[in-house]
Amino acid sequence: MSEKLDLGSVEIPLSEGIVWADKYRKSIQTEEGRKKQVDGYLIPLQTLKLVMNQDIDAVRAYKGINKAGEQTLIFVGAKWDAKEGIYVDVFKTEGLEGGEGEEEGSVVYDGARPVPPYGDPNSPLNP
């Protein structure tokens, strides 16, 4: 990436969201993949507030599997680095115990829960 991200409006019409969600579901090719498929995430407001309460330009979400064995998103702040021409991850330090090396005390944010089972059965985005 050599340019700072300019998303313009981050709002998209629901109809386009439905198309995107459907396209993602259709991209799963194997039966095993369909069994483990996550269609979306429920993200607590507290998670978003915590990650956004930093001097950042963007938020990056990494996929992971939590202690409950659920697919989740791990949120990290990102700051534009003009010299490198990329958004670099920014880790807030909270003095957590048990860390090792340079990661000691660095914080990322979780809280996302997979859909299904945490979905809205009446949503047009839910098949």
Side-chain angles (χ1 to χ4, degrees), residues 18-89:
I18 292 168
V19 170
W20 290 6
D22 186 55
K23 192 182 298 186
Y24 169 76
R25 285 185 202 98
K26 288 178 180 174
S27 73
I28 304 299
Q29 298 299 315
T30 66
E31 182 65 29
E32 185 63 25
R34 284 190 289 275
K35 289 178 184 176
K36 295 180 180 180
Q37 179 178 345
V38 172
D39 295 324
Y41 295 90
L42 175 67
I43 305 165
L45 186 56
Q46 179 185 12
T47 299
L48 297 176
K49 286 180 178 179
L50 287 168
V51 74
M52 292 174 59
N53 190 24
Q54 301 177 78
D55 180 23
I56 58 175
D57 299 315
V59 176
R60 182 172 282 120
Y62 290 95
K63 289 185 173 184
I65 298 177
N66 65 20
K67 292 179 182 179
E70 300 171 325
Q71 290 183 39
T72 190
L73 296 175
I74 303 160
F75 296 95
V76 177
K79 185 88 172 157
W80 176 251
D81 183 328
K83 180 180 175 186
E84 296 294 324
I86 61 171
Y87 285 87
V88 295
D89 288 350

XYZ file of all heavy atoms in Angstrom, residues 18-89:
580
model
N -26.466 -6.868 1.801
C -27.056 -8.187 1.575
C -26.306 -8.916 0.456
O -25.987 -10.095 0.569
C -28.559 -8.062 1.252
C -29.313 -7.580 2.497
C -29.122 -9.380 0.745
C -30.744 -7.149 2.226
N -25.969 -8.200 -0.610
C -25.217 -8.793 -1.720
C -23.840 -9.241 -1.243
O -23.394 -10.350 -1.547
C -25.096 -7.798 -2.903
C -24.116 -8.309 -3.952
C -26.462 -7.536 -3.516
N -23.146 -8.398 -0.471
C -21.811 -8.750 0.037
C -21.876 -9.987 0.920
O -21.038 -10.881 0.815
C -21.223 -7.604 0.836
C -20.825 -6.406 0.043
C -21.021 -6.161 -1.287
C -20.158 -5.262 0.548
N -20.535 -4.934 -1.636
C -19.988 -4.352 -0.518
C -19.699 -4.894 1.799
C -19.370 -3.118 -0.365
C -19.082 -3.669 1.945
C -18.914 -2.794 0.878
N -22.854 -10.030 1.835
C -22.978 -11.166 2.750
C -23.270 -12.445 1.970
O -22.697 -13.504 2.246
C -24.068 -10.896 3.784
N -24.138 -12.350 0.968
C -24.468 -13.508 0.148
C -23.244 -13.978 -0.633
O -22.980 -15.181 -0.737
C -25.617 -13.166 -0.796
C -26.089 -14.379 -1.576
O -26.437 -15.395 -0.936
O -26.114 -14.312 -2.822
N -22.480 -13.048 -1.165
C -21.268 -13.389 -1.922
C -20.263 -14.119 -1.030
O -19.641 -15.096 -1.443
C -20.641 -12.106 -2.486
C -19.559 -12.361 -3.509
C -18.921 -11.082 -4.012
C -19.903 -10.179 -4.703
N -19.263 -9.006 -5.316
N -20.122 -13.664 0.220
C -19.212 -14.330 1.155
C -19.679 -15.768 1.404
O -18.897 -16.705 1.350
C -19.130 -13.567 2.479
C -18.419 -14.363 3.549
C -17.043 -14.504 3.538
C -19.143 -15.003 4.545
C -16.412 -15.258 4.498
C -18.504 -15.757 5.512
C -17.132 -15.889 5.481
O -16.487 -16.639 6.416
N -20.960 -15.945 1.675
C -21.478 -17.287 1.957
C -21.240 -18.231 0.781
O -20.911 -19.400 0.959
C -22.965 -17.222 2.284
C -23.220 -16.680 3.647
C -24.713 -16.743 3.989
N -24.980 -15.784 5.028
C -25.477 -14.564 4.835
N -25.800 -14.165 3.629
N -25.658 -13.750 5.844
N -21.427 -17.718 -0.422
C -21.241 -18.549 -1.613
C -19.774 -18.866 -1.871
O -19.471 -19.795 -2.624
C -21.865 -17.870 -2.827
C -23.377 -17.888 -2.779
C -23.983 -17.174 -3.962
C -25.506 -17.221 -3.878
N -26.136 -16.424 -4.939
N -18.863 -18.116 -1.258
C -17.438 -18.349 -1.487
C -16.920 -19.563 -0.715
O -15.836 -20.060 -1.003
C -16.620 -17.106 -1.111
O -16.564 -16.956 0.301
N -17.703 -20.063 0.236
C -17.307 -21.258 0.981
C -17.560 -22.461 0.078
O -18.682 -22.721 -0.334
C -18.117 -21.382 2.300
C -17.977 -20.125 3.156
C -17.707 -22.616 3.069
C -16.566 -19.826 3.594
N -16.511 -23.223 -0.220
C -16.622 -24.284 -1.226
C -16.845 -25.682 -0.660
O -17.518 -26.482 -1.284
C -15.350 -24.299 -2.085
C -15.124 -23.015 -2.846
C -16.251 -22.716 -3.820
O -16.706 -23.587 -4.538
N -16.714 -21.482 -3.827
N -16.286 -26.004 0.498
C -16.364 -27.385 0.981
C -17.469 -27.556 2.011
O -17.883 -26.607 2.669
C -15.025 -27.794 1.632
O -14.834 -27.016 2.820
C -13.859 -27.582 0.680
N -17.924 -28.770 2.164
C -18.935 -29.086 3.172
C -18.393 -28.788 4.563
O -19.078 -28.224 5.401
C -19.357 -30.560 3.073
C -20.447 -30.961 4.047
C -21.774 -30.258 3.782
O -22.045 -29.912 2.617
O -22.535 -30.053 4.740
N -17.134 -29.135 4.806
C -16.510 -28.856 6.111
C -16.440 -27.348 6.349
O -16.679 -26.877 7.453
C -15.101 -29.460 6.166
C -14.420 -29.318 7.513
C -15.126 -30.051 8.632
O -15.847 -31.032 8.361
O -14.952 -29.646 9.793
N -16.128 -26.596 5.316
C -16.095 -25.139 5.436
C -17.453 -24.573 5.792
O -17.564 -23.667 6.615
N -18.505 -25.109 5.195
C -19.860 -24.633 5.504
C -20.243 -24.930 6.943
O -20.943 -24.153 7.577
C -20.865 -25.249 4.528
C -20.819 -24.596 3.159
C -21.968 -25.057 2.292
N -21.836 -26.442 1.863
C -21.148 -26.842 0.790
N -20.533 -25.961 0.044
N -21.084 -28.107 0.469
N -19.793 -26.051 7.485
C -20.116 -26.409 8.866
C -19.504 -25.421 9.853
O -20.053 -25.173 10.909
C -19.638 -27.822 9.185
C -20.444 -28.901 8.502
C -19.889 -30.264 8.824
C -20.628 -31.347 8.067
N -20.036 -32.676 8.296
N -18.333 -24.888 9.522
C -17.614 -23.984 10.424
C -17.797 -22.522 10.044
O -17.199 -21.646 10.643
C -16.121 -24.318 10.406
C -15.811 -25.675 10.965
C -14.339 -25.945 10.930
C -14.034 -27.318 11.487
N -12.604 -27.593 11.461
N -18.621 -22.257 9.061
C -18.783 -20.910 8.527
C -19.323 -19.935 9.563
O -20.268 -20.224 10.280
C -19.726 -20.966 7.332
C -19.991 -19.644 6.703
C -20.900 -19.797 5.495
O -21.092 -20.884 4.987
N -21.457 -18.694 5.061
N -18.705 -18.781 9.626
C -19.195 -17.664 10.432
C -19.657 -16.602 9.449
O -18.910 -16.186 8.569
C -18.082 -17.110 11.354
C -18.535 -15.847 12.038
C -17.674 -18.161 12.372
N -20.918 -16.177 9.582
C -21.484 -15.203 8.651
C -21.285 -13.765 9.099
O -21.429 -12.843 8.318
C -22.988 -15.458 8.473
C -23.257 -16.794 7.805
O -22.482 -17.198 6.932
O -24.259 -17.427 8.177
N -21.006 -13.563 10.359
C -20.841 -12.216 10.881
C -20.386 -12.264 12.330
O -20.107 -13.340 12.865
N -20.335 -11.088 12.962
C -19.907 -10.988 14.357
C -20.772 -9.983 15.093
O -21.096 -8.926 14.552
C -18.441 -10.540 14.446
C -17.482 -11.544 13.860
C -17.125 -11.496 12.529
C -16.963 -12.561 14.640
C -16.266 -12.427 11.981
C -16.102 -13.504 14.105
C -15.753 -13.437 12.777
O -14.905 -14.367 12.235
N -21.111 -10.310 16.321
C -21.740 -9.372 17.235
C -20.598 -8.707 17.996
O -19.799 -9.384 18.632
C -22.673 -10.110 18.201
C -23.305 -9.251 19.286
C -24.280 -8.252 18.662
C -24.025 -10.129 20.298
N -20.495 -7.383 17.905
C -19.370 -6.655 18.511
C -19.901 -5.732 19.594
O -20.634 -4.791 19.298
C -18.604 -5.842 17.449
C -18.153 -6.765 16.312
C -17.421 -5.110 18.080
C -17.711 -6.037 15.075
N -19.537 -5.987 20.845
C -20.000 -5.122 21.935
C -19.487 -3.693 21.764
O -18.347 -3.460 21.356
C -19.398 -5.758 23.186
C -19.107 -7.171 22.803
C -18.755 -7.126 21.345
N -20.326 -2.740 22.076
C -19.970 -1.331 21.986
C -18.726 -1.029 22.817
O -17.877 -0.240 22.412
C -21.149 -0.459 22.429
C -20.992 1.040 22.252
C -20.672 1.409 20.812
C -22.268 1.744 22.700
N -18.587 -1.658 23.966
C -17.423 -1.438 24.828
C -16.117 -1.746 24.086
O -15.138 -1.020 24.215
C -17.520 -2.300 26.083
C -16.327 -2.145 27.002
C -16.382 -3.094 28.191
O -17.186 -4.014 28.236
N -15.523 -2.862 29.151
N -16.113 -2.802 23.289
C -14.924 -3.149 22.515
C -14.560 -2.023 21.555
O -13.403 -1.604 21.468
C -15.163 -4.456 21.730
O -15.417 -5.510 22.655
C -13.973 -4.814 20.861
N -15.557 -1.517 20.829
C -15.296 -0.443 19.869
C -14.826 0.827 20.562
O -13.899 1.499 20.093
C -16.547 -0.168 19.038
C -17.016 -1.326 18.161
C -18.322 -0.969 17.473
C -15.946 -1.710 17.156
N -15.448 1.173 21.683
C -15.047 2.380 22.416
C -13.609 2.275 22.897
O -12.842 3.241 22.812
C -15.982 2.620 23.596
C -17.342 3.140 23.200
C -18.219 3.356 24.426
C -19.571 3.919 24.055
N -20.434 4.113 25.229
N -13.224 1.106 23.399
C -11.866 0.937 23.917
C -10.812 1.059 22.816
O -9.800 1.727 22.992
C -11.726 -0.410 24.631
C -12.410 -0.502 25.982
C -12.463 -1.946 26.469
C -11.708 0.380 27.003
N -11.055 0.418 21.685
C -10.070 0.488 20.613
C -10.020 1.891 20.015
O -8.964 2.385 19.624
C -10.295 -0.591 19.532
C -11.468 -0.279 18.650
C -9.039 -0.796 18.693
N -11.156 2.578 19.982
C -11.186 3.916 19.392
C -10.674 4.996 20.336
O -10.406 6.111 19.903
C -12.597 4.231 18.909
C -12.998 3.349 17.727
S -14.705 3.544 17.230
C -14.770 5.277 16.848
N -10.499 4.671 21.585
C -10.001 5.627 22.568
C -8.472 5.672 22.536
O -7.809 5.570 23.562
C -10.505 5.264 23.972
C -10.228 6.355 24.975
O -10.070 7.519 24.619
N -10.146 5.971 26.228
N -7.915 5.779 21.338
C -6.476 5.846 21.120
C -6.211 6.889 20.036
O -7.120 7.265 19.306
C -5.946 4.492 20.641
C -6.184 3.340 21.590
C -5.693 2.041 20.983
O -4.506 1.777 20.970
N -6.613 1.258 20.453
N -4.980 7.305 19.912
C -4.600 8.228 18.843
C -4.311 7.392 17.597
O -3.174 7.018 17.321
C -3.361 9.032 19.261
C -2.923 10.001 18.184
O -3.750 10.380 17.330
O -1.728 10.375 18.185
N -5.381 7.048 16.854
C -5.262 6.168 15.697
C -6.013 6.758 14.509
O -6.816 7.670 14.656
C -5.807 4.750 16.008
C -7.272 4.807 16.459
C -4.933 4.048 17.047
C -7.927 3.455 16.667
N -5.725 6.207 13.327
C -6.391 6.618 12.099
C -7.355 5.562 11.586
O -8.197 5.852 10.734
C -5.349 6.891 11.000
C -4.392 8.000 11.385
O -4.852 9.033 11.893
O -3.169 7.818 11.174
N -7.205 4.332 12.057
C -8.025 3.228 11.575
C -8.025 2.113 12.612
O -7.272 2.157 13.581
C -7.471 2.699 10.248
N -8.862 1.125 12.385
C -8.902 -0.062 13.225
C -8.737 -1.270 12.313
O -9.367 -1.354 11.259
C -10.241 -0.172 13.997
C -10.308 -1.467 14.790
C -10.433 1.035 14.907
N -7.869 -2.174 12.718
C -7.665 -3.408 11.960
C -8.268 -4.545 12.765
O -8.149 -4.584 13.982
C -6.171 -3.647 11.741
C -5.854 -4.887 10.924
C -4.366 -4.974 10.576
N -4.071 -4.055 9.470
C -3.202 -3.042 9.539
N -2.535 -2.801 10.643
N -2.993 -2.276 8.486
N -8.923 -5.494 12.084
C -9.493 -6.669 12.743
C -8.787 -7.916 12.229
O -8.740 -8.156 11.028
C -10.987 -6.755 12.473
N -8.238 -8.668 13.156
C -7.625 -9.955 12.842
C -8.593 -11.051 13.257
O -9.308 -10.915 14.244
C -6.317 -10.136 13.613
C -5.208 -9.243 13.161
C -4.961 -8.034 13.800
C -4.382 -9.607 12.102
C -3.928 -7.197 13.391
C -3.345 -8.776 11.686
C -3.122 -7.583 12.334
O -2.097 -6.769 11.933
N -8.631 -12.133 12.531
C -9.450 -13.274 12.902
C -8.675 -14.147 13.872
O -7.459 -14.267 13.780
C -9.841 -14.097 11.679
C -10.847 -13.416 10.790
C -11.271 -14.350 9.688
C -12.397 -13.740 8.884
N -12.887 -14.679 7.872
N -9.406 -14.760 14.801
C -8.792 -15.675 15.756
C -9.828 -16.652 16.272
O -11.004 -16.575 15.919
N -9.383 -17.564 17.099
C -10.280 -18.502 17.768
C -10.059 -18.323 19.255
O -8.942 -18.474 19.751
C -10.011 -19.954 17.326
C -10.279 -20.088 15.823
C -10.868 -20.930 18.135
C -9.985 -21.444 15.253
N -11.136 -17.980 19.978
C -11.015 -17.672 21.402
C -10.955 -18.945 22.253
O -10.982 -20.058 21.729
C -12.133 -16.731 21.853
C -13.512 -17.349 21.751
O -13.677 -18.563 21.698
N -14.528 -16.505 21.732
N -10.876 -18.763 23.568
C -10.754 -19.890 24.488
C -11.962 -20.809 24.455
O -11.877 -21.970 24.822
C -10.526 -19.390 25.915
C -9.179 -18.727 26.095
C -9.014 -18.217 27.511
C -7.680 -17.502 27.652
N -7.497 -16.969 29.003
N -13.109 -20.289 24.021
C -14.324 -21.099 23.909
C -14.367 -21.867 22.585
O -15.326 -22.571 22.309
C -15.562 -20.215 24.046
N -13.326 -21.702 21.746
C -13.282 -22.371 20.452
C -14.102 -21.666 19.380
O -14.306 -22.212 18.301
N -14.556 -20.434 19.657
C -15.354 -19.668 18.709
C -14.459 -18.787 17.850
O -13.467 -18.241 18.333
C -16.326 -18.741 19.445
C -17.312 -19.433 20.334
C -18.091 -18.445 21.189
O -17.533 -17.412 21.620
O -19.268 -18.721 21.428
N -14.832 -18.631 16.574
C -14.141 -17.664 15.742
C -14.470 -16.276 16.270
O -15.599 -15.996 16.664
C -14.594 -17.778 14.289
C -14.130 -19.050 13.622
C -14.525 -19.089 12.167
O -14.477 -18.090 11.465
N -14.899 -20.266 11.699
N -13.475 -15.403 16.313
C -13.669 -14.065 16.832
C -12.828 -13.077 16.041
O -12.022 -13.465 15.199
C -13.317 -14.002 18.335
O -13.728 -12.742 18.860
C -11.842 -14.205 18.587
N -13.035 -11.813 16.311
C -12.215 -10.754 15.735
C -11.385 -10.140 16.851
O -11.876 -9.941 17.959
C -13.100 -9.677 15.095
C -13.938 -10.115 13.910
C -14.848 -8.975 13.461
C -13.058 -10.567 12.757
N -10.143 -9.826 16.539
C -9.238 -9.161 17.471
C -8.978 -7.780 16.896
O -8.448 -7.647 15.792
C -7.924 -9.945 17.606
C -8.218 -11.385 18.056
C -6.961 -9.242 18.556
C -7.102 -12.352 17.763
N -9.384 -6.752 17.634
C -9.291 -5.377 17.136
C -8.015 -4.712 17.617
O -7.660 -4.798 18.794
C -10.499 -4.562 17.604
C -11.785 -5.066 17.037
C -12.573 -5.945 17.750
C -12.197 -4.682 15.774
C -13.758 -6.429 17.228
C -13.374 -5.167 15.237
C -14.156 -6.041 15.965
N -7.343 -4.026 16.687
C -6.096 -3.328 16.960
C -6.174 -1.957 16.300
O -6.608 -1.847 15.152
C -4.891 -4.107 16.374
C -3.598 -3.364 16.589
C -4.815 -5.510 16.941
N -5.753 -0.930 17.021
C -5.671 0.387 16.415
C -4.565 0.411 15.373
O -3.595 -0.339 15.458
N -4.704 1.277 14.376
C -3.681 1.419 13.345
C -3.467 2.904 13.055
O -4.406 3.694 13.068
C -4.091 0.681 12.077
N -2.224 3.266 12.831
C -1.834 4.653 12.591
C -1.100 4.722 11.257
O -0.255 3.876 10.962
C -0.936 5.125 13.735
C -0.543 6.557 13.705
C -1.571 7.385 14.409
C -1.078 8.815 14.551
N -2.154 9.727 14.724
N -1.434 5.738 10.447
C -0.776 5.916 9.157
C 0.671 6.290 9.370
O 0.999 7.215 10.120
C -1.483 6.980 8.340
C -0.808 7.272 7.036
C -0.122 8.396 6.704
C -0.744 6.407 5.901
N 0.355 8.300 5.425
C -0.003 7.068 4.903
C -1.230 5.135 5.635
C 0.248 6.505 3.664
C -0.980 4.577 4.386
C -0.247 5.261 3.423
N 1.578 5.572 8.720
C 3.009 5.852 8.753
C 3.410 6.286 7.346
O 3.568 5.464 6.441
C 3.784 4.595 9.175
C 5.284 4.839 9.301
O 5.839 5.676 8.554
O 5.898 4.168 10.144
N 3.528 7.607 7.143
C 3.818 8.149 5.813
C 5.163 7.664 5.285
O 5.314 7.423 4.089
C 3.780 9.675 5.853
N 6.151 7.507 6.165
C 7.481 7.057 5.745
C 7.417 5.643 5.167
O 8.010 5.363 4.128
C 8.445 7.091 6.930
C 9.840 6.655 6.589
C 10.750 6.717 7.807
C 12.118 6.150 7.478
N 12.960 6.070 8.665
N 6.670 4.754 5.834
C 6.544 3.374 5.375
C 5.448 3.224 4.311
O 5.424 2.240 3.581
C 6.236 2.443 6.550
C 7.340 2.374 7.584
C 8.603 1.733 7.043
O 8.521 0.785 6.238
O 9.702 2.213 7.414
N 4.500 4.168 4.287
C 3.400 4.100 3.335
C 2.366 3.044 3.681
O 1.708 2.504 2.792
N 2.231 2.746 4.986
C 1.266 1.741 5.429
C 0.638 2.174 6.752
O 1.133 3.071 7.428
C 1.913 0.353 5.641
C 3.000 0.422 6.731
C 2.464 -0.200 4.339
C 3.537 -0.926 7.165
N -0.448 1.502 7.105
C -1.014 1.643 8.440
C -0.292 0.635 9.328
O -0.251 -0.556 9.003
C -2.519 1.340 8.435
C -3.338 2.447 7.824
C -3.570 2.494 6.461
C -3.863 3.446 8.620
C -4.315 3.511 5.898
C -4.619 4.468 8.069
C -4.840 4.496 6.713
O -5.575 5.508 6.161
N 0.283 1.103 10.425
C 0.990 0.207 11.349
C 0.124 -0.024 12.583
O -0.592 0.875 13.028
C 2.378 0.757 11.753
C 3.297 0.828 10.546
C 2.272 2.117 12.408
N 0.191 -1.236 13.108
C -0.571 -1.561 14.306
C -0.049 -0.763 15.489
O 1.158 -0.599 15.662
C -0.474 -3.055 14.621
C -1.261 -3.918 13.650
O -2.031 -3.365 12.842
O -1.102 -5.145 13.705
